[in-house]
């Protein structure tokens, strides 16, 4: 077995990662390490109180587990090249990969044809469209999403970091530019060097469910932040297509969807290559909390979104 430096050019880290040759940490939603190996086995070690991750071989699940710090080794059944993917499965717990060892050799991986950037809250972080689209289309992705995350600073419902119970919650207007989500750190969250990010071909922005869009004052604040946030994303990625899908469920005052729709339509009319996607007629099944789709609802939303943007 030989140790592979984690800055080896044949390893592909997708999503937001921090670190160097000796340890890499993946943040936000479903960051993943992918590589191709030809040989007898591979293994890796994780660090931290609990590592939640999945391991796939050629797209088939090898393990999906939560475990304390430790090492795992997997053995190949033949000597053919195989693609391995290690994916973090907890937004609240970063995936810390301490080392990677192989009995064999790394092979060059071809770059996939597209990269998708997803920006959102729980509707995006769930195993819905942000998971379905990359898997079905065989594309790479970055998912900057967190359950309970608003667009506007000072709002939202996500759990605060254990050491920052007195912190003011940040929204995506601030959190997008941080290496880690605000559920991990707020006051000491390091800025993310966007030059390290992969350049997306398409971007999905789905925010507003957690912005308390139940009165005119909150709606006004949301509209003001939205008209600044989306143009900034456009400036960072001038050639990407931007899609602005409407969430599934409205607020009790029926202001959520109309406010988000107004903001998105304004961006569609103002910016190039931006498309608002109206989901009102999709009849997505909503769960008992009156906010999140059911499992069937998430699947239906993903299926319809794939069609709406023209992927199929």
């Amino acid at each position: 077995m030989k140790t592979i430096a984690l800055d080896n050019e044949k390893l592909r880290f997708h999503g937001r990662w921090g670190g160097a040759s000796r340890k890499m940490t993946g943040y936000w939603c479903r960051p993943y390490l992918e590589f191709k190996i030809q040989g007898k086995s591979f293994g890796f070690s994780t660090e931290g109180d609990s590592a939640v991750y999945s391991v796939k071989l050629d797209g088939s699940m090898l393990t999906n587990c939560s475990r304390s710090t430790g090492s795992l080794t997997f053995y190949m059944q033949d000597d053919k090249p195989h693609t391995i993917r290690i994916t973090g499965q907890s937004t609240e717990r970063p995936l810390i990969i301490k080392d990677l060892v192989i009995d064999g050799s790394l092979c060059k991986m071809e770059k996939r044809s597209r990269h998708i950037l997803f920006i959102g809250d729980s509707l995006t972080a769930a195993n819905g469209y942000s998971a379905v689209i990359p898997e079905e289309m065989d594309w790479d992705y970055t998912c900057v999403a967190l359950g309970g995350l608003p667009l506007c600073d000072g709002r939202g419902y996500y759990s605060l970091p254990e050491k920052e119970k007195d912190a003011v919650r940040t929204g995506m207007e601030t959190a997008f530019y941080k290496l880690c989500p605000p559920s991990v750190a707020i006051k000491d969250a390091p800025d993310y060097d966007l030059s390290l990010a992969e350049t997306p071909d398409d971007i999905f922005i789905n925010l507003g469910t957690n912005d308390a869009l139940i009165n005119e004052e909150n709606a006004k604040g949301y509209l003001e932040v939205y008209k600044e946030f989306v143009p900034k994303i456009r400036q960072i990625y001038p050639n990407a297509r931007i899609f602005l899908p409407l969430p599934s469920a409205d607020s009790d005052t029926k202001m959520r969807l109309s406010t988000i729709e107004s903001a998105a339509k304004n961006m569609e009319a103002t910016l190039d290559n931006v498309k608002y996607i109206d989901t009102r007629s999709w009849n997505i099944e909503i769960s008992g909390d009156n906010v999140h789709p059911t499992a069937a609802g998430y699947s239906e939303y993903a299926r319809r979104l794939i069609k709406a943007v023209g992927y199929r």
Side-chain angles (χ1 to χ4, degrees):
M1 300 285 279
K2 58 184 177 182
T3 299
I4 305 297
L6 295 178
D7 59 0
N8 189 294
E9 62 180 7
K10 292 181 180 179
L11 302 179
R12 294 189 179 275
F13 289 89
H14 299 281
R16 291 198 173 176
W17 291 80
S21 61
R22 299 186 65 180
K23 184 168 66 176
M24 290 290 286
T25 303
Y27 296 96
W28 287 97
C29 187
R30 294 189 295 276
Y32 59 107
L33 161 62
E34 198 166 43
F35 57 91
K36 184 172 287 188
I37 179 178
Q38 184 170 9
K40 296 180 180 179
S41 65
F42 72 92
F44 63 94
S45 298
T46 57
E47 188 176 287
D49 294 336
S50 180
V52 185
Y53 58 86
S54 66
V55 182
K56 288 185 177 182
L57 184 149
D58 298 331
S60 297
M61 188 70 71
L62 288 178
T63 185
N64 195 343
C65 66
S66 174
R67 55 184 283 128
S68 57
T69 299
S71 302
L72 286 179
T73 301
F74 298 89
Y75 297 91
M76 305 293 101
Q77 300 301 313
D78 54 51
D79 59 358
K80 298 178 182 179
H82 293 285
T83 299
I84 309 302
R85 178 180 291 199
I86 305 169
T87 305
Q89 297 290 348
S90 172
T91 312
E92 286 71 27
R93 296 191 185 111
L95 175 61
I96 306 173
I97 296 181
K98 188 176 179 181
D99 57 46
L100 173 68
V101 295
I102 67 170
D103 185 356
S105 59
L106 290 176
C107 307
K108 181 180 179 180
M109 285 193 64
E110 297 299 324
K111 185 178 180 180
R112 290 187 173 86
S113 61
R114 297 186 77 78
H115 188 97
I116 312 299
L117 170 61
F118 300 97
I119 304 173
D121 49 38
S122 61
L123 304 181
T124 302
N127 287 316
Y129 69 92
S130 69
V132 172
I133 290 174
E135 183 173 347
E136 291 200 3
M137 307 306 297
D138 192 27
W139 294 337
D140 286 312
Y141 69 88
T142 296
C143 189
V144 182
L146 172 67
L149 188 70
L151 171 64
C152 302
D153 291 341
R155 304 181 186 181
Y157 310 103
Y158 57 84
S159 298
L160 291 168
E162 187 64 32
K163 296 181 180 180
E164 300 183 22
K165 292 299 184 181
D166 60 337
V168 175
R169 288 182 175 86
T170 59
M172 190 63 84
E173 64 169 315
T174 295
F176 179 78
Y177 305 97
K178 300 297 183 178
L179 173 62
C180 61
S183 58
V184 173
I186 295 179
K187 297 177 181 178
D188 298 322
D191 292 335
Y192 179 63
D193 183 355
L194 289 169
S195 68
L196 301 176
E198 295 169 274
T199 301
D201 298 284
D202 295 336
I203 302 170
F204 291 82
I205 303 175
N206 193 338
L207 291 161
T209 296
N210 303 302
D211 280 273
L213 299 177
I214 57 175
N215 56 53
E216 292 293 340
E217 182 180 0
N218 288 353
K220 181 181 179 181
Y222 175 86
L223 292 169
E224 290 174 351
V225 174
Y226 197 96
K227 71 179 181 181
E228 293 181 358
F229 180 76
V230 177
K232 286 180 180 178
I233 300 299
R234 160 55 70 230
Q235 186 177 16
I236 296 169
Y237 303 113
N239 299 317
R241 298 188 298 175
I242 297 179
F243 298 107
L244 308 174
L246 199 63
S248 306
D250 214 333
S251 62
D252 293 339
T253 61
K254 304 301 180 185
M255 290 188 64
R256 180 188 296 146
L257 296 188
S258 62
T259 303
I260 297 172
E261 181 178 57
S262 175
K265 283 186 174 180
N266 181 45
M267 291 298 96
E268 183 179 48
T270 304
L271 302 174
D272 292 334
N273 214 4
V274 173
K275 181 180 180 181
Y276 162 65
I277 299 175
D278 187 358
T279 68
R280 292 177 185 271
S281 64
W282 292 4
N283 296 319
I284 300 302
E285 184 177 78
I286 303 300
S287 66
D289 66 6
N290 295 321
V291 175
H292 299 89
T294 61
Y298 276 117
S299 297
E300 180 68 6
Y301 192 97
R303 184 185 69 82
R304 286 182 173 267
L305 192 56
I306 286 173
K307 183 177 180 181
V309 301
Y311 290 154
R312 283 183 180 164

